[in-house]
Amino acid sequence: MDVRVGDRLTMKKKHPCGSFEFSVLRSGMDFKLRCCGCGREFMIPRSKAEKNIKKILHEEENDA
């Protein structure tokens, strides 16, 4: 799965604050994500995150 820094992810499960949207701060074996609702940052293993991704908005699509 092609997830890059700056992408915006829509997840299947929501964050405790109620938001389904997260922005990618770091990618590798783990993802560092920031919740777009409350701003909390957290690390999640790549395998767990990839199972939970519903949609990916790439950075260049966000700018257009």
Side-chain angles (χ1 to χ4, degrees):
M1 192 172 281
D2 184 32
V3 179
R4 299 181 296 254
V5 175
D7 289 351
R8 205 172 188 100
L9 307 177
T10 303
M11 302 296 235
K12 293 178 186 172
K13 294 181 180 178
K14 63 183 172 183
H15 192 249
C17 74
S19 176
F20 287 94
E21 297 241 335
F22 299 88
S23 57
V24 179
L25 302 177
R26 192 190 125 198
S27 65
M29 283 298 292
D30 297 318
F31 286 144
K32 185 170 186 176
L33 303 176
R34 176 183 291 138
C35 175
C36 294
C38 63
R40 179 167 291 243
E41 295 180 6
F42 58 95
M43 298 284 285
I44 185 171
R46 184 180 196 100
S47 58
K48 188 173 180 182
E50 286 183 345
K51 281 192 263 182
N52 201 12
I53 294 172
K54 188 186 251 184
K55 187 166 112 180
I56 302 171
L57 289 172
H58 294 292
E59 191 172 23
E60 56 272 1
E61 293 173 11
N62 292 339
D63 295 337

